[in-house]
Amino acid sequence: KDGRCLHTVSKSIPAPKPADPPKLSAMTALCFAANGTQLVTASENMATLWNVKTGKELRTWEAHTSLVTSLALAVEDSVLLTGSKDGTAKVWDLPSGLCRRTLQGHDGPVMAVALSPDSKSAVTGGSDGQAKVWDTQTGTCERTLEGSKLGL
């Protein structure tokens, strides 16, 4: 009644914590372009195209539905081949970022990929013990090579 403060109410607000730095995803595959000016990296289900000289990210896209395990790049034809734990390999048109073909046929993850020098053929190696030779223009599996059986 006389204007004196009877109680002071305060709430202690903790100082904001510094933000944790973003966690980087592990790189699972890397591939240089033949001319040495571009690099493709894979992390999780994503692929990223980089300019090596500037360090600039040129494009990042969702390449697969699961972890990307392998990459092969042919710059002269602008073709990228990716392999994944989702059991597929994909043939990409690098300038447009569009998938030209999805190569399916392994019983399990695709662990390794390679392109022929002219990019008309690809080979995929799977956890199923098979290597498959593909026509990249049609997506047809031309040959299946059986791996050696361990322990025999």
Short mmCIF file of all heavy atoms in Angstrom, two decimals, residues 37-108:
data_model
loop_
_atom_site.label_atom_id
_atom_site.label_comp_id
_atom_site.label_asym_id
_atom_site.label_seq_id
_atom_site.Cartn_x
_atom_site.Cartn_y
_atom_site.Cartn_z
N THR A 37 39.77 -32.06 -63.36
CA THR A 37 39.14 -30.81 -62.93
C THR A 37 37.87 -31.02 -62.12
O THR A 37 37.40 -30.10 -61.47
CB THR A 37 38.80 -29.90 -64.13
OG1 THR A 37 37.82 -30.55 -64.94
CG2 THR A 37 40.04 -29.58 -64.95
N GLN A 38 37.32 -32.23 -62.18
CA GLN A 38 36.10 -32.51 -61.44
C GLN A 38 36.29 -33.76 -60.59
O GLN A 38 37.11 -34.63 -60.90
CB GLN A 38 34.91 -32.70 -62.37
CG GLN A 38 34.52 -31.43 -63.10
CD GLN A 38 33.32 -31.64 -64.01
OE1 GLN A 38 33.12 -32.70 -64.56
NE2 GLN A 38 32.52 -30.59 -64.17
N LEU A 39 35.50 -33.83 -59.54
CA LEU A 39 35.54 -34.94 -58.60
C LEU A 39 34.10 -35.24 -58.21
O LEU A 39 33.29 -34.33 -58.05
CB LEU A 39 36.35 -34.53 -57.36
CG LEU A 39 36.35 -35.47 -56.16
CD1 LEU A 39 37.21 -36.70 -56.46
CD2 LEU A 39 36.89 -34.74 -54.93
N VAL A 40 33.78 -36.52 -58.07
CA VAL A 40 32.47 -36.92 -57.55
C VAL A 40 32.71 -37.63 -56.23
O VAL A 40 33.61 -38.47 -56.11
CB VAL A 40 31.72 -37.85 -58.52
CG1 VAL A 40 30.37 -38.25 -57.93
CG2 VAL A 40 31.51 -37.17 -59.87
N THR A 41 31.93 -37.24 -55.22
CA THR A 41 32.00 -37.89 -53.92
C THR A 41 30.63 -38.47 -53.58
O THR A 41 29.61 -38.01 -54.10
CB THR A 41 32.41 -36.89 -52.81
OG1 THR A 41 31.42 -35.86 -52.71
CG2 THR A 41 33.77 -36.30 -53.08
N ALA A 42 30.64 -39.49 -52.72
CA ALA A 42 29.39 -40.09 -52.26
C ALA A 42 29.37 -40.09 -50.74
O ALA A 42 30.37 -40.39 -50.09
CB ALA A 42 29.25 -41.51 -52.79
N SER A 43 28.22 -39.74 -50.21
CA SER A 43 27.96 -39.76 -48.77
C SER A 43 26.52 -40.19 -48.59
O SER A 43 25.62 -39.60 -49.18
CB SER A 43 28.10 -38.35 -48.20
OG SER A 43 29.30 -38.17 -47.56
N GLU A 44 26.33 -41.21 -47.77
CA GLU A 44 24.99 -41.77 -47.57
C GLU A 44 24.39 -42.13 -48.93
O GLU A 44 25.03 -42.82 -49.70
CB GLU A 44 24.13 -40.82 -46.74
CG GLU A 44 24.71 -40.62 -45.35
CD GLU A 44 23.90 -39.69 -44.47
OE1 GLU A 44 22.84 -39.21 -44.90
OE2 GLU A 44 24.34 -39.46 -43.34
N ASN A 45 23.21 -41.63 -49.25
CA ASN A 45 22.58 -41.96 -50.54
C ASN A 45 22.76 -40.84 -51.55
O ASN A 45 22.13 -40.84 -52.60
CB ASN A 45 21.09 -42.27 -50.35
CG ASN A 45 20.31 -41.07 -49.88
OD1 ASN A 45 20.85 -40.18 -49.22
ND2 ASN A 45 19.04 -41.02 -50.21
N MET A 46 23.65 -39.91 -51.27
CA MET A 46 23.83 -38.73 -52.10
C MET A 46 25.15 -38.78 -52.88
O MET A 46 26.12 -39.38 -52.43
CB MET A 46 23.85 -37.47 -51.22
CG MET A 46 22.66 -37.34 -50.29
SD MET A 46 21.10 -37.14 -51.13
CE MET A 46 21.20 -35.44 -51.60
N ALA A 47 25.14 -38.12 -54.03
CA ALA A 47 26.36 -37.92 -54.82
C ALA A 47 26.54 -36.42 -55.02
O ALA A 47 25.56 -35.68 -55.17
CB ALA A 47 26.26 -38.63 -56.17
N THR A 48 27.80 -35.99 -55.03
CA THR A 48 28.11 -34.57 -55.21
C THR A 48 29.21 -34.43 -56.25
O THR A 48 30.22 -35.12 -56.18
CB THR A 48 28.56 -33.92 -53.89
OG1 THR A 48 27.52 -34.08 -52.91
CG2 THR A 48 28.84 -32.44 -54.07
N LEU A 49 28.98 -33.52 -57.19
CA LEU A 49 29.97 -33.18 -58.21
C LEU A 49 30.66 -31.88 -57.78
O LEU A 49 29.99 -30.91 -57.41
CB LEU A 49 29.27 -32.98 -59.56
CG LEU A 49 30.14 -32.52 -60.73
CD1 LEU A 49 31.17 -33.58 -61.09
CD2 LEU A 49 29.26 -32.19 -61.93
N TRP A 50 32.01 -31.90 -57.81
CA TRP A 50 32.81 -30.76 -57.35
C TRP A 50 33.73 -30.25 -58.45
O TRP A 50 34.21 -31.04 -59.26
CB TRP A 50 33.70 -31.17 -56.19
CG TRP A 50 33.02 -31.71 -55.00
CD1 TRP A 50 32.67 -33.02 -54.77
CD2 TRP A 50 32.59 -30.98 -53.85
NE1 TRP A 50 32.06 -33.14 -53.55
CE2 TRP A 50 32.00 -31.90 -52.96
CE3 TRP A 50 32.65 -29.64 -53.49
CZ2 TRP A 50 31.48 -31.52 -51.73
CZ3 TRP A 50 32.13 -29.26 -52.27
CH2 TRP A 50 31.55 -30.19 -51.40
N ASN A 51 34.03 -28.96 -58.42
CA ASN A 51 35.11 -28.39 -59.21
C ASN A 51 36.33 -28.44 -58.31
O ASN A 51 36.36 -27.82 -57.24
CB ASN A 51 34.80 -26.94 -59.60
CG ASN A 51 35.92 -26.31 -60.41
OD1 ASN A 51 37.08 -26.35 -60.02
ND2 ASN A 51 35.56 -25.72 -61.53
N VAL A 52 37.35 -29.20 -58.71
CA VAL A 52 38.52 -29.42 -57.86
C VAL A 52 39.32 -28.13 -57.68
O VAL A 52 39.80 -27.83 -56.59
CB VAL A 52 39.41 -30.54 -58.43
CG1 VAL A 52 40.68 -30.70 -57.62
CG2 VAL A 52 38.64 -31.85 -58.46
N LYS A 53 39.46 -27.34 -58.74
CA LYS A 53 40.29 -26.14 -58.67
C LYS A 53 39.70 -25.07 -57.75
O LYS A 53 40.42 -24.42 -57.01
CB LYS A 53 40.51 -25.58 -60.06
CG LYS A 53 41.33 -26.51 -60.95
CD LYS A 53 41.94 -25.76 -62.10
CE LYS A 53 42.68 -26.68 -63.02
NZ LYS A 53 43.96 -27.12 -62.53
N THR A 54 38.38 -24.90 -57.79
CA THR A 54 37.74 -23.86 -56.97
C THR A 54 37.19 -24.39 -55.66
O THR A 54 36.90 -23.61 -54.75
CB THR A 54 36.58 -23.20 -57.74
OG1 THR A 54 35.55 -24.18 -57.95
CG2 THR A 54 37.05 -22.62 -59.06
N GLY A 55 36.99 -25.71 -55.57
CA GLY A 55 36.37 -26.29 -54.38
C GLY A 55 34.87 -26.09 -54.35
O GLY A 55 34.21 -26.40 -53.37
N LYS A 56 34.32 -25.58 -55.46
CA LYS A 56 32.89 -25.29 -55.52
C LYS A 56 32.07 -26.55 -55.77
O LYS A 56 32.41 -27.37 -56.63
CB LYS A 56 32.62 -24.28 -56.64
CG LYS A 56 31.17 -23.86 -56.73
CD LYS A 56 30.94 -22.86 -57.85
CE LYS A 56 29.45 -22.55 -57.96
NZ LYS A 56 29.17 -21.74 -59.12
N GLU A 57 31.00 -26.70 -55.01
CA GLU A 57 30.04 -27.78 -55.22
C GLU A 57 29.19 -27.41 -56.43
O GLU A 57 28.55 -26.38 -56.46
CB GLU A 57 29.17 -27.91 -53.98
CG GLU A 57 28.11 -28.96 -54.06
CD GLU A 57 27.25 -29.00 -52.80
OE1 GLU A 57 27.79 -28.86 -51.69
OE2 GLU A 57 26.04 -29.17 -52.96
N LEU A 58 29.22 -28.27 -57.45
CA LEU A 58 28.48 -28.00 -58.68
C LEU A 58 27.06 -28.56 -58.64
O LEU A 58 26.14 -27.96 -59.18
CB LEU A 58 29.24 -28.57 -59.88
CG LEU A 58 30.66 -28.04 -60.07
CD1 LEU A 58 31.35 -28.75 -61.22
CD2 LEU A 58 30.65 -26.53 -60.28
N ARG A 59 26.92 -29.72 -58.01
CA ARG A 59 25.59 -30.34 -57.94
C ARG A 59 25.62 -31.43 -56.89
O ARG A 59 26.58 -32.18 -56.78
CB ARG A 59 25.20 -30.94 -59.28
CG ARG A 59 23.87 -31.68 -59.24
CD ARG A 59 23.49 -32.40 -60.53
NE ARG A 59 23.37 -31.47 -61.64
CZ ARG A 59 24.14 -31.49 -62.73
NH1 ARG A 59 25.07 -32.39 -62.87
NH2 ARG A 59 23.96 -30.62 -63.70
N THR A 60 24.54 -31.54 -56.13
CA THR A 60 24.34 -32.66 -55.21
C THR A 60 22.96 -33.23 -55.49
O THR A 60 22.01 -32.47 -55.68
CB THR A 60 24.45 -32.21 -53.74
OG1 THR A 60 25.78 -31.78 -53.49
CG2 THR A 60 24.12 -33.35 -52.78
N TRP A 61 22.87 -34.54 -55.54
CA TRP A 61 21.57 -35.15 -55.80
C TRP A 61 21.44 -36.47 -55.07
O TRP A 61 22.43 -37.08 -54.68
CB TRP A 61 21.33 -35.32 -57.29
CG TRP A 61 22.21 -36.33 -57.97
CD1 TRP A 61 21.89 -37.62 -58.27
CD2 TRP A 61 23.56 -36.14 -58.43
NE1 TRP A 61 22.95 -38.24 -58.89
CE2 TRP A 61 23.98 -37.35 -59.01
CE3 TRP A 61 24.44 -35.06 -58.42
CZ2 TRP A 61 25.24 -37.51 -59.55
CZ3 TRP A 61 25.70 -35.22 -58.96
CH2 TRP A 61 26.09 -36.43 -59.53
N GLU A 62 20.19 -36.89 -54.88
CA GLU A 62 19.91 -38.19 -54.28
C GLU A 62 20.11 -39.23 -55.36
O GLU A 62 19.33 -39.33 -56.31
CB GLU A 62 18.47 -38.23 -53.75
CG GLU A 62 18.17 -39.49 -52.99
CD GLU A 62 16.79 -39.48 -52.35
OE1 GLU A 62 16.23 -38.40 -52.13
OE2 GLU A 62 16.29 -40.58 -52.08
N ALA A 63 21.16 -40.02 -55.20
CA ALA A 63 21.53 -40.98 -56.23
C ALA A 63 20.83 -42.32 -56.06
O ALA A 63 20.56 -43.02 -57.04
CB ALA A 63 23.05 -41.17 -56.24
N HIS A 64 20.56 -42.70 -54.82
CA HIS A 64 19.99 -44.02 -54.52
C HIS A 64 19.09 -43.93 -53.29
O HIS A 64 19.04 -42.90 -52.63
CB HIS A 64 21.10 -45.04 -54.26
CG HIS A 64 21.84 -45.45 -55.49
ND1 HIS A 64 21.46 -46.50 -56.29
CD2 HIS A 64 22.96 -44.93 -56.07
CE1 HIS A 64 22.29 -46.61 -57.30
NE2 HIS A 64 23.21 -45.68 -57.19
N THR A 65 18.44 -45.03 -52.99
CA THR A 65 17.60 -45.09 -51.79
C THR A 65 18.37 -45.59 -50.57
O THR A 65 17.82 -45.60 -49.48
CB THR A 65 16.37 -46.00 -52.03
OG1 THR A 65 16.83 -47.32 -52.36
CG2 THR A 65 15.50 -45.47 -53.14
N SER A 66 19.62 -45.99 -50.78
CA SER A 66 20.46 -46.47 -49.69
C SER A 66 21.89 -46.00 -49.95
O SER A 66 22.15 -45.29 -50.94
CB SER A 66 20.39 -48.00 -49.61
OG SER A 66 21.03 -48.47 -48.46
N LEU A 67 22.81 -46.39 -49.10
CA LEU A 67 24.20 -45.96 -49.16
C LEU A 67 24.84 -46.18 -50.54
O LEU A 67 24.75 -47.27 -51.10
CB LEU A 67 25.01 -46.74 -48.11
CG LEU A 67 26.46 -46.35 -47.95
CD1 LEU A 67 26.56 -45.06 -47.17
CD2 LEU A 67 27.21 -47.45 -47.22
N VAL A 68 25.47 -45.14 -51.07
CA VAL A 68 26.25 -45.27 -52.31
C VAL A 68 27.60 -45.88 -51.94
O VAL A 68 28.31 -45.36 -51.09
CB VAL A 68 26.44 -43.91 -53.01
CG1 VAL A 68 27.32 -44.05 -54.26
CG2 VAL A 68 25.09 -43.30 -53.38
N THR A 69 27.93 -47.01 -52.58
CA THR A 69 29.14 -47.75 -52.24
C THR A 69 30.28 -47.55 -53.22
O THR A 69 31.44 -47.81 -52.89
CB THR A 69 28.84 -49.26 -52.19
OG1 THR A 69 28.31 -49.65 -53.47
CG2 THR A 69 27.83 -49.58 -51.10
N SER A 70 29.97 -47.13 -54.45
CA SER A 70 31.00 -47.07 -55.48
C SER A 70 30.63 -46.10 -56.58
O SER A 70 29.45 -45.85 -56.84
CB SER A 70 31.26 -48.47 -56.05
OG SER A 70 30.04 -49.09 -56.40
N LEU A 71 31.68 -45.58 -57.25
CA LEU A 71 31.52 -44.60 -58.33
C LEU A 71 32.51 -44.89 -59.44
O LEU A 71 33.62 -45.34 -59.19
CB LEU A 71 31.83 -43.19 -57.82
CG LEU A 71 31.03 -42.62 -56.67
CD1 LEU A 71 31.71 -41.35 -56.16
CD2 LEU A 71 29.62 -42.30 -57.13
N ALA A 72 32.11 -44.60 -60.68
CA ALA A 72 33.02 -44.61 -61.82
C ALA A 72 32.59 -43.46 -62.72
O ALA A 72 31.40 -43.25 -62.95
CB ALA A 72 32.96 -45.93 -62.57
N LEU A 73 33.57 -42.71 -63.23
CA LEU A 73 33.27 -41.51 -64.00
C LEU A 73 34.02 -41.50 -65.32
O LEU A 73 35.20 -41.83 -65.36
CB LEU A 73 33.67 -40.28 -63.17
CG LEU A 73 33.40 -38.91 -63.74
CD1 LEU A 73 31.92 -38.69 -63.98
CD2 LEU A 73 33.93 -37.85 -62.79
N ALA A 74 33.32 -41.15 -66.38
CA ALA A 74 33.93 -40.98 -67.70
C ALA A 74 33.56 -39.60 -68.21
O ALA A 74 32.45 -39.38 -68.67
CB ALA A 74 33.43 -42.05 -68.67
N VAL A 75 34.47 -38.65 -68.08
CA VAL A 75 34.16 -37.26 -68.42
C VAL A 75 33.94 -37.06 -69.91
O VAL A 75 33.08 -36.29 -70.32
CB VAL A 75 35.27 -36.32 -67.91
CG1 VAL A 75 35.12 -34.93 -68.47
CG2 VAL A 75 35.21 -36.26 -66.40
N GLU A 76 34.71 -37.77 -70.74
CA GLU A 76 34.58 -37.53 -72.18
C GLU A 76 33.17 -37.80 -72.67
O GLU A 76 32.71 -37.18 -73.61
CB GLU A 76 35.61 -38.32 -72.99
CG GLU A 76 35.68 -39.81 -72.68
CD GLU A 76 36.58 -40.14 -71.50
OE1 GLU A 76 36.97 -39.27 -70.70
OE2 GLU A 76 36.90 -41.31 -71.35
N ASP A 77 32.46 -38.70 -72.02
CA ASP A 77 31.06 -38.95 -72.37
C ASP A 77 30.11 -38.37 -71.33
O ASP A 77 28.90 -38.54 -71.44
CB ASP A 77 30.79 -40.45 -72.49
CG ASP A 77 31.48 -41.07 -73.69
OD1 ASP A 77 31.68 -40.36 -74.70
OD2 ASP A 77 31.81 -42.26 -73.61
N SER A 78 30.66 -37.74 -70.30
CA SER A 78 29.86 -37.17 -69.22
C SER A 78 28.96 -38.20 -68.57
O SER A 78 27.79 -37.93 -68.27
CB SER A 78 29.04 -35.98 -69.74
OG SER A 78 29.88 -35.00 -70.25
N VAL A 79 29.48 -39.39 -68.36
CA VAL A 79 28.72 -40.49 -67.78
C VAL A 79 29.27 -40.80 -66.39
O VAL A 79 30.49 -40.89 -66.21
CB VAL A 79 28.80 -41.75 -68.67
CG1 VAL A 79 28.13 -42.94 -68.00
CG2 VAL A 79 28.17 -41.48 -70.02
N LEU A 80 28.36 -40.96 -65.42
CA LEU A 80 28.72 -41.38 -64.08
C LEU A 80 27.98 -42.67 -63.79
O LEU A 80 26.80 -42.80 -64.12
CB LEU A 80 28.31 -40.32 -63.05
CG LEU A 80 28.47 -40.71 -61.58
CD1 LEU A 80 29.94 -40.85 -61.21
CD2 LEU A 80 27.78 -39.69 -60.69
N LEU A 81 28.66 -43.63 -63.20
CA LEU A 81 28.06 -44.89 -62.78
C LEU A 81 28.15 -44.96 -61.26
O LEU A 81 29.23 -44.73 -60.70
CB LEU A 81 28.80 -46.07 -63.42
CG LEU A 81 28.29 -47.47 -63.10
CD1 LEU A 81 26.88 -47.69 -63.62
CD2 LEU A 81 29.25 -48.51 -63.69
N THR A 82 27.03 -45.24 -60.60
CA THR A 82 27.01 -45.37 -59.15
C THR A 82 26.50 -46.75 -58.76
O THR A 82 25.66 -47.32 -59.45
CB THR A 82 26.10 -44.30 -58.50
OG1 THR A 82 24.76 -44.46 -58.98
CG2 THR A 82 26.59 -42.90 -58.78
N GLY A 83 27.02 -47.28 -57.66
CA GLY A 83 26.54 -48.54 -57.11
C GLY A 83 26.08 -48.30 -55.69
O GLY A 83 26.55 -47.38 -55.01
N SER A 84 25.14 -49.14 -55.22
CA SER A 84 24.55 -48.88 -53.92
C SER A 84 24.17 -50.14 -53.15
O SER A 84 23.97 -51.21 -53.73
CB SER A 84 23.29 -48.02 -54.12
OG SER A 84 22.56 -47.87 -52.93
N LYS A 85 24.01 -49.96 -51.85
CA LYS A 85 23.51 -51.03 -51.00
C LYS A 85 22.06 -51.36 -51.32
O LYS A 85 21.56 -52.39 -50.88
CB LYS A 85 23.63 -50.63 -49.52
CG LYS A 85 24.99 -50.87 -48.94
CD LYS A 85 24.95 -50.69 -47.44
CE LYS A 85 26.04 -51.51 -46.80
NZ LYS A 85 25.95 -51.46 -45.34
N ASP A 86 21.38 -50.51 -52.09
CA ASP A 86 19.99 -50.81 -52.48
C ASP A 86 19.90 -51.88 -53.55
O ASP A 86 18.82 -52.26 -53.98
CB ASP A 86 19.23 -49.54 -52.89
CG ASP A 86 19.74 -48.88 -54.16
OD1 ASP A 86 20.54 -49.48 -54.91
OD2 ASP A 86 19.32 -47.73 -54.42
N GLY A 87 21.07 -52.40 -53.99
CA GLY A 87 21.10 -53.49 -54.96
C GLY A 87 21.07 -53.05 -56.41
O GLY A 87 20.99 -53.89 -57.31
N THR A 88 21.18 -51.74 -56.65
CA THR A 88 21.16 -51.24 -58.03
C THR A 88 22.44 -50.49 -58.34
O THR A 88 23.17 -50.05 -57.45
CB THR A 88 19.97 -50.29 -58.28
OG1 THR A 88 20.17 -49.08 -57.53
CG2 THR A 88 18.65 -50.93 -57.94
N ALA A 89 22.68 -50.33 -59.63
CA ALA A 89 23.68 -49.40 -60.14
C ALA A 89 22.91 -48.46 -61.06
O ALA A 89 21.89 -48.84 -61.66
CB ALA A 89 24.78 -50.12 -60.90
N LYS A 90 23.38 -47.22 -61.16
CA LYS A 90 22.69 -46.25 -62.01
C LYS A 90 23.69 -45.57 -62.92
O LYS A 90 24.81 -45.25 -62.53
CB LYS A 90 21.94 -45.22 -61.18
CG LYS A 90 20.78 -45.84 -60.41
CD LYS A 90 19.94 -44.79 -59.72
CE LYS A 90 18.77 -45.44 -58.98
NZ LYS A 90 17.90 -44.43 -58.37
N VAL A 91 23.24 -45.35 -64.17
CA VAL A 91 24.02 -44.64 -65.18
C VAL A 91 23.45 -43.23 -65.25
O VAL A 91 22.26 -43.05 -65.54
CB VAL A 91 23.92 -45.34 -66.55
CG1 VAL A 91 24.74 -44.60 -67.59
CG2 VAL A 91 24.35 -46.81 -66.45
N TRP A 92 24.30 -42.23 -64.97
CA TRP A 92 23.87 -40.84 -64.91
C TRP A 92 24.44 -40.02 -66.04
O TRP A 92 25.60 -40.20 -66.43
CB TRP A 92 24.33 -40.21 -63.59
CG TRP A 92 23.78 -40.87 -62.38
CD1 TRP A 92 24.33 -41.91 -61.69
CD2 TRP A 92 22.56 -40.54 -61.71
NE1 TRP A 92 23.52 -42.24 -60.63
CE2 TRP A 92 22.44 -41.42 -60.63
CE3 TRP A 92 21.57 -39.59 -61.94
CZ2 TRP A 92 21.35 -41.37 -59.75
CZ3 TRP A 92 20.49 -39.54 -61.06
CH2 TRP A 92 20.39 -40.42 -59.99
N ASP A 93 23.64 -39.09 -66.55
CA ASP A 93 24.11 -38.06 -67.47
C ASP A 93 24.57 -36.90 -66.59
O ASP A 93 23.75 -36.24 -65.95
CB ASP A 93 22.98 -37.62 -68.40
CG ASP A 93 23.42 -36.53 -69.34
OD1 ASP A 93 24.21 -36.82 -70.25
OD2 ASP A 93 23.00 -35.37 -69.13
N LEU A 94 25.88 -36.70 -66.51
CA LEU A 94 26.41 -35.73 -65.57
C LEU A 94 25.99 -34.28 -65.85
O LEU A 94 25.62 -33.57 -64.92
CB LEU A 94 27.94 -35.85 -65.51
CG LEU A 94 28.58 -35.61 -64.17
CD1 LEU A 94 27.88 -36.33 -63.04
CD2 LEU A 94 30.03 -35.97 -64.21
N PRO A 95 26.00 -33.80 -67.10
CA PRO A 95 25.59 -32.41 -67.33
C PRO A 95 24.16 -32.10 -66.88
O PRO A 95 23.90 -31.06 -66.30
CB PRO A 95 25.74 -32.23 -68.84
CG PRO A 95 26.74 -33.23 -69.25
CD PRO A 95 26.51 -34.41 -68.34
N SER A 96 23.24 -33.02 -67.11
CA SER A 96 21.84 -32.75 -66.75
C SER A 96 21.49 -33.26 -65.36
O SER A 96 20.50 -32.82 -64.77
CB SER A 96 20.91 -33.41 -67.77
OG SER A 96 20.95 -34.83 -67.64
N GLY A 97 22.28 -34.21 -64.85
CA GLY A 97 21.97 -34.82 -63.56
C GLY A 97 20.87 -35.85 -63.63
O GLY A 97 20.37 -36.31 -62.61
N LEU A 98 20.48 -36.25 -64.83
CA LEU A 98 19.39 -37.21 -64.99
C LEU A 98 19.91 -38.64 -65.04
O LEU A 98 20.97 -38.90 -65.60
CB LEU A 98 18.60 -36.91 -66.27
CG LEU A 98 17.89 -35.56 -66.31
CD1 LEU A 98 17.24 -35.34 -67.67
CD2 LEU A 98 16.86 -35.46 -65.20
N CYS A 99 19.12 -39.54 -64.48
CA CYS A 99 19.46 -40.96 -64.51
C CYS A 99 19.06 -41.51 -65.88
O CYS A 99 17.90 -41.44 -66.28
CB CYS A 99 18.72 -41.70 -63.40
SG CYS A 99 19.06 -43.47 -63.36
N ARG A 100 20.06 -42.05 -66.61
CA ARG A 100 19.79 -42.66 -67.92
C ARG A 100 19.22 -44.07 -67.79
O ARG A 100 18.34 -44.46 -68.53
CB ARG A 100 21.08 -42.76 -68.74
CG ARG A 100 21.64 -41.47 -69.23
CD ARG A 100 22.86 -41.78 -70.09
NE ARG A 100 23.54 -40.58 -70.52
CZ ARG A 100 24.66 -40.58 -71.19
NH1 ARG A 100 25.25 -41.73 -71.50
NH2 ARG A 100 25.22 -39.45 -71.56
N ARG A 101 19.79 -44.84 -66.87
CA ARG A 101 19.41 -46.24 -66.70
C ARG A 101 19.59 -46.67 -65.25
O ARG A 101 20.51 -46.21 -64.58
CB ARG A 101 20.30 -47.17 -67.53
CG ARG A 101 20.31 -46.96 -69.00
CD ARG A 101 19.20 -47.76 -69.68
NE ARG A 101 19.20 -47.51 -71.11
CZ ARG A 101 18.55 -46.54 -71.71
NH1 ARG A 101 17.84 -45.71 -71.02
NH2 ARG A 101 18.59 -46.40 -73.01
N THR A 102 18.74 -47.56 -64.81
CA THR A 102 18.93 -48.25 -63.54
C THR A 102 19.22 -49.71 -63.86
O THR A 102 18.45 -50.35 -64.57
CB THR A 102 17.68 -48.13 -62.64
OG1 THR A 102 17.46 -46.74 -62.35
CG2 THR A 102 17.87 -48.89 -61.33
N LEU A 103 20.35 -50.19 -63.36
CA LEU A 103 20.78 -51.56 -63.62
C LEU A 103 20.43 -52.42 -62.41
O LEU A 103 20.97 -52.21 -61.32
CB LEU A 103 22.29 -51.59 -63.90
CG LEU A 103 22.81 -50.57 -64.93
CD1 LEU A 103 24.32 -50.64 -65.04
CD2 LEU A 103 22.15 -50.79 -66.28
N GLN A 104 19.52 -53.37 -62.61
CA GLN A 104 19.07 -54.24 -61.53
C GLN A 104 19.33 -55.68 -61.89
O GLN A 104 19.12 -56.08 -63.04
CB GLN A 104 17.57 -54.06 -61.27
CG GLN A 104 17.22 -52.69 -60.75
CD GLN A 104 15.73 -52.53 -60.53
OE1 GLN A 104 14.95 -52.71 -61.44
NE2 GLN A 104 15.36 -52.18 -59.31
N GLY A 105 19.77 -56.47 -60.92
CA GLY A 105 20.01 -57.88 -61.19
C GLY A 105 20.82 -58.58 -60.12
O GLY A 105 20.91 -59.80 -60.11
N HIS A 106 21.42 -57.81 -59.20
CA HIS A 106 22.17 -58.43 -58.12
C HIS A 106 21.23 -58.81 -56.98
O HIS A 106 20.23 -58.15 -56.74
CB HIS A 106 23.24 -57.47 -57.59
CG HIS A 106 24.44 -57.37 -58.48
ND1 HIS A 106 25.41 -58.34 -58.52
CD2 HIS A 106 24.81 -56.41 -59.36
CE1 HIS A 106 26.34 -57.98 -59.40
NE2 HIS A 106 25.99 -56.82 -59.92
N ASP A 107 21.60 -59.88 -56.30
CA ASP A 107 20.86 -60.31 -55.12
C ASP A 107 21.62 -59.79 -53.90
O ASP A 107 22.37 -60.51 -53.27
CB ASP A 107 20.75 -61.84 -55.09
CG ASP A 107 19.89 -62.33 -53.95
OD1 ASP A 107 19.09 -61.55 -53.42
OD2 ASP A 107 20.05 -63.51 -53.57
N GLY A 108 21.46 -58.52 -53.61
CA GLY A 108 22.16 -57.86 -52.53
C GLY A 108 22.83 -56.60 -53.01
O GLY A 108 22.68 -56.19 -54.17
#
